[in-house]
Amino acid sequence: MKLAEMLRLPTGTDLKQVDWKYVSAVALGAASAIAVLQVVQRANKKAKVKSIKAEFQSLAHFPPQTQAQTNTSEHRPKDVPEELVREQLSRNYSFLGEEGVAAVRASFVIVVGLGGVGSHAAHMLVRSGVQRIRIIDFDQVSLSSLNRHAVAIHEDVGTSKSGCLKKHFRNIAPQAEVEPIVELFSIDVADRLLSGNPDYVLDCIDNLNTKIDLLKYCHEHKLPVISSMGAGAKADPSRIQIADISDTSEDPLARATRQGLKKRGVDSGIAVVYSTEKPGKVKLLDLSEEKVDEADQYATLPNFRARILPVLGTLPALFGMAMASYVICKLGNFEMEPLPIKLRRKTYDKILSNIKMNRKPEDGDLQINAQDVGFVLEEIWLGKSALSGSLDKEKVTLTRWDVSKPYRIDNLICLTKKESEDHAKVPFKSVEAHYGKEFVDKVEKRLRYVRDLEKWRG
């Protein structure tokens, strides 16, 4: 662009005849105006942030909802013909059976926290047939959250997360009764927000103290609950685990949650989704220099983080999917026992080495390898003693169930080393008298399962 055009001078103006003092004064005035405008815009932005924060804080003081308010037509499902619902859920009926899907459809589930994890969990619960769901979050959809949200699109930015999900759920499963609540969970309103005797509660909160409050409340009131640990700053889907809170490892949020619950008298009994991946490759993003002195202005609420945790959108989605899958199986009475740990190759090699060392010629051929040891230990016995439930990798081993038969994958039981020594002294014909019928039936059922799975192993 030519200088004359930039200054918006008449066509044909001779630049030598321009009064440059006048032009300089105009330019200086424009620059001053821009500076003033930026100051005003920044002040307006701060005022807006304060206003939004004040509005969010007031949400915690909403009056309790009455039953009449809860049952408004806004929450009622549409009348969808049963044959259409059954067709939509046909694959679930094939998987869970009539009774299983009926149980899922009749259930009432609450999801607290509707970010990357919670939105995906709630989304798949509704798609899988849950017909009554309460979704709770105080926050709004932001442009930066679209990288991990289950259903939000550009036009949802600035709307409440719960309202956004409800809007999309009406198009996915119009027969579902979706109750969106725009409110910050706290222990003061737990009785109201978790009312209605839910069949399951999903904790997808990322604030530690609030998370501990929710889990403690569910544990005390005997509400089935599953909790999401830290999905941020992680990338490896193969490290995702489902386990009891007492069996978690390598996850900083899981450790802090476990310690917090222990101080309140809760040691175990809460299922969690977590990752063993160490989140050391990426760091919290720092606030820019102009925001450091006023960091609280950029936090959603007081005591909530102001710095940004890098998130690869796929990991929160997988956490949410894992939670939904676990809950659906529990509601549908489909047997699923998550592995607390896996892929311990050194442990497998050590167990196999001990078997080889202690095997006698009369024990027959050794028909197993390290891969078989890992399969039987993890997939069949879940890494713990069938008798005592010990998970100590230094104590557990595999031994023959029927000591008169060779070492095969369908004749191995996981016991501690001491239990294994005692078991070797028990004649097989006396195992029921020694252990009891219930234990023997459990072992025999697992070994039949091994034989059924053998054809699927590569």
Side-chain angles (χ1 to χ4, degrees):
M1 182 180 291
K2 296 180 179 180
L3 180 59
E5 293 176 354
M6 292 177 60
L7 296 176
R8 297 185 177 180
L9 298 175
T11 304
T13 300
D14 186 354
L15 295 179
K16 295 180 179 179
Q17 298 177 357
V18 174
D19 187 344
W20 290 106
K21 291 183 180 179
Y22 171 76
V23 172
S24 299
V26 171
L28 182 61
S32 300
I34 292 172
V36 170
L37 181 60
Q38 289 176 337
V39 170
V40 171
Q41 287 177 334
R42 186 177 176 189
N44 288 339
K45 183 177 180 180
K46 287 184 180 180
K48 187 174 181 180
V49 169
K50 289 181 179 179
S51 175
I52 293 173
K53 286 183 58 173
E55 182 179 346
F56 280 154
Q57 292 175 44
S58 69
L59 291 174
H61 304 290
F62 278 177
Q65 292 174 297
T66 64
Q67 192 64 28
Q69 288 174 316
T70 302
N71 293 330
T72 60
S73 60
E74 183 184 357
H75 303 314
R76 291 180 192 145
K78 288 185 177 180
D79 188 13
V80 179
E82 177 64 13
E83 59 268 25
L84 295 184
V85 177
R86 291 185 65 87
E87 175 61 24
Q88 183 172 344
L89 298 174
S90 59
R91 298 299 187 273
N92 295 62
Y93 275 105
S94 299
F95 193 95
L96 298 173
E98 285 285 341
E99 292 184 1
V101 177
V104 171
R105 292 180 64 182
S107 64
F108 169 39
V109 178
I110 298 176
V111 181
V112 186
L114 304 175
V117 176
S119 64
H120 281 277
H123 174 218
M124 284 313 302
L125 288 171
V126 169
R127 281 195 183 274
S128 300
V130 172
Q131 290 190 184
R132 186 184 173 204
I133 186 169
R134 181 180 297 159
I135 48 179
I136 304 169
D137 200 305
F138 70 91
D139 208 355
Q140 296 177 325
V141 177
S142 65
L143 191 59
S144 64
S145 68
L146 296 188
N147 83 315
R148 57 194 180 278
H149 198 278
V151 297
I153 58 179
H154 273 250
E155 69 179 37
D156 296 315
V157 172
T159 65
S160 69
K161 289 181 177 179
S162 59
C164 166
L165 285 176
K166 177 179 172 59
K167 180 185 75 172
H168 290 282
F169 288 172
R170 286 184 72 82
N171 293 321
I172 294 169
Q175 71 275 10
E177 179 183 345
V178 182
E179 182 185 355
I181 295 182
V182 184
E183 187 160 356
L184 174 66
F185 178 88
S186 72
I187 198 63
D188 296 331
V189 293
D191 285 337
R192 173 163 54 85
L193 294 183
L194 302 181
S195 64
N197 194 29
D199 296 289
Y200 240 98
V201 176
L202 284 77
D203 159 41
C204 306
I205 300 171
D206 59 5
N207 178 265
L208 177 61
N209 293 330
T210 310
K211 177 180 290 290
I212 293 172
D213 284 341
L214 173 61
L215 296 178
K216 170 68 172 173
Y217 181 94
C218 289
H219 190 269
E220 279 186 344
H221 291 78
K222 294 181 171 51
L223 299 178
V225 63
I226 183 170
S227 177
S228 170
M229 297 293 108
K234 298 182 180 182
D236 188 349
S238 70
R239 306 293 185 90
I240 297 173
Q241 305 276 311
I242 301 178
D244 188 89
I245 185 68
S246 61
D247 293 328
T248 56
S249 62
E250 308 297 338
D251 187 311
L253 181 57
R255 180 176 62 251
T257 303
R258 186 173 64 246
Q259 293 171 346
L261 286 170
K262 191 171 184 179
K263 290 178 181 177
R264 302 192 191 187
V266 180
D267 292 322
S268 61
I270 295 174
V272 301
V273 176
Y274 76 105
S275 170
T276 59
E277 182 181 1
K278 292 180 175 63
K281 296 179 181 178
V282 294
K283 306 294 183 182
L284 281 171
L285 301 182
D286 292 324
L287 290 172
S288 56
E289 285 187 22
E290 66 270 15
K291 297 179 180 178
V292 171
D293 293 335
E294 300 166 334
D296 186 58
Q297 298 296 328
Y298 298 91
T300 307
L301 287 172
N303 302 318
F304 275 59
R305 67 168 183 257
R307 297 169 71 196
I308 301 170
L309 184 66
V311 179
L312 186 64
T314 52
L315 263 290
L318 289 169
F319 270 55
M321 296 289 186
M323 295 178 80
S325 183
Y326 180 89
V327 170
I328 292 163
C329 288
K330 289 294 183 181
L331 295 173
N333 297 311
F334 185 86
E335 186 176 353
M336 182 179 73
E337 296 183 74
L339 299 175
I341 42 180
K342 61 182 180 180
L343 301 178
R344 301 176 293 176
R345 185 55 192 250
K346 290 183 179 179
T347 299
Y348 310 155
D349 289 338
K350 186 176 180 180
I351 290 174
L352 182 61
S353 178
N354 288 335
I355 289 174
K356 289 179 177 179
M357 184 172 61
N358 295 320
R359 185 173 66 90
K360 300 175 183 177
E362 58 268 26
D363 293 338
D365 294 336
L366 187 66
Q367 302 177 34
I368 57 173
N369 55 31
Q371 183 178 347
D372 296 325
V373 169
F375 168 73
V376 174
L377 181 68
E378 308 290 13
E379 296 287 344
I380 307 305
W381 300 110
L382 307 180
K384 58 186 177 183
S385 165
L387 191 59
S388 62
S390 174
L391 278 164
D392 190 337
K393 67 179 182 180
E394 297 300 323
K395 293 182 179 180
V396 295
T397 189
L398 295 178
T399 191
R400 291 174 297 167
W401 172 238
D402 183 346
V403 295
S404 66
K405 295 182 179 180
Y407 285 93
R408 283 180 43 86
I409 64 169
D410 59 354
N411 188 37
L412 294 175
I413 182 174
C414 182
L415 298 170
T416 65
K417 293 175 182 176
K418 178 64 170 62
E419 291 165 351
S420 175
E421 292 172 1
D422 293 339
H423 176 74
K425 301 172 185 177
V426 180
F428 188 68
K429 62 182 180 181
S430 303
V431 291
E432 187 169 318
H434 184 78
Y435 293 114
K437 187 176 186 306
E438 183 179 355
F439 179 77
V440 172
D441 287 346
K442 180 182 79 169
V443 173
E444 294 287 356
K445 181 180 178 181
R446 292 288 178 95
L447 296 181
R448 285 195 299 272
Y449 181 56
V450 175
R451 297 180 193 110
D452 291 339
L453 288 180
E454 181 67 6
K455 61 185 177 183
W456 298 104
R457 296 186 65 223

